[in-house]
Amino acid sequence: MELRIYRSGDLLPITRLFYDTVHTVNAADYTPRQLDAWADGHPDLEAWDRSFRAHHTLVAVEGGILVGFGDMAPDGYLDRLYVHHTFQRRGIASQLCRALEAAVGAPVLTVHASITARPFFERQGYLTLAEQQVERHGVPLTNYRMEKRRLRPNDRPETPFV
């Protein structure tokens, strides 16, 4: 598996992967109506491409097939991280996440994680700050505001008193 920088030619495979992944992987945690609101199959391609180019965006390719992608804004907001449903549990999301975090110098990394993705981000060291309701096409969806703080070179973890 190879990670590489996003190119505009990746956009259509990414949007297909996004739709397929949301409608399969997230189906255990969201209703069909919520899945359709989240991924309706008609993304604004120009807006997605513009967002990907403004962020640090990586794609995961295996055997010439785009199997995952992720993007992080310069301020440390991890906007999207998706791996195709047939390539789950192979460490692809973890590799994408680590590479995105390494590429962005923000001291605090944030994500709005789905119910499905929350355990993944907890394993990556993110802490849940709050459950929130977001609305997509008039349909409420639950997600979690999470963050990961990085130690600066002169920071020391707090030691509990003995």
Side-chain angles (χ1 to χ4, degrees), residues 3-63:
L3 295 184
R4 65 166 171 75
I5 297 291
Y6 166 80
R7 300 186 289 248
S8 292
D10 298 323
L11 187 58
L12 289 179
I14 282 175
T15 58
R16 284 192 295 272
L17 182 149
F18 170 74
Y19 179 88
D20 291 344
T21 301
V22 167
H23 282 268
T24 54
V25 174
N26 300 96
D29 297 310
Y30 295 91
T31 67
R33 185 169 177 247
Q34 288 173 315
L35 297 173
D36 287 339
W38 182 353
D40 65 6
H42 304 287
D44 181 338
L45 297 177
E46 186 177 307
W48 276 52
D49 184 56
R50 188 172 46 254
S51 174
F52 286 146
R53 287 185 284 111
H55 294 170
H56 185 75
T57 304
L58 297 173
V59 296
V61 179
E62 188 171 299

Side-chain angles (χ1 to χ4, degrees), residues 67-133:
V67 298
F69 71 96
D71 65 303
M72 186 175 276
D75 67 0
Y77 176 64
L78 200 161
D79 195 358
R80 290 160 285 221
L81 180 63
Y82 292 89
V83 173
H84 193 277
H85 66 92
T86 61
F87 289 85
Q88 298 277 313
R89 308 232 184 274
R90 297 186 189 185
I92 296 169
S94 296
Q95 288 181 51
L96 281 164
C97 189
R98 282 192 302 271
L100 291 168
E101 290 173 354
V104 174
V108 178
L109 307 171
T110 58
V111 67
H112 294 176
S114 68
I115 295 168
T116 314
R118 181 181 178 190
F120 166 81
F121 284 108
E122 288 172 339
R123 288 190 301 275
Q124 304 306 307
Y126 287 75
L127 300 174
T128 301
L129 301 177
E131 178 179 312
Q132 55 190 16
Q133 296 294 312

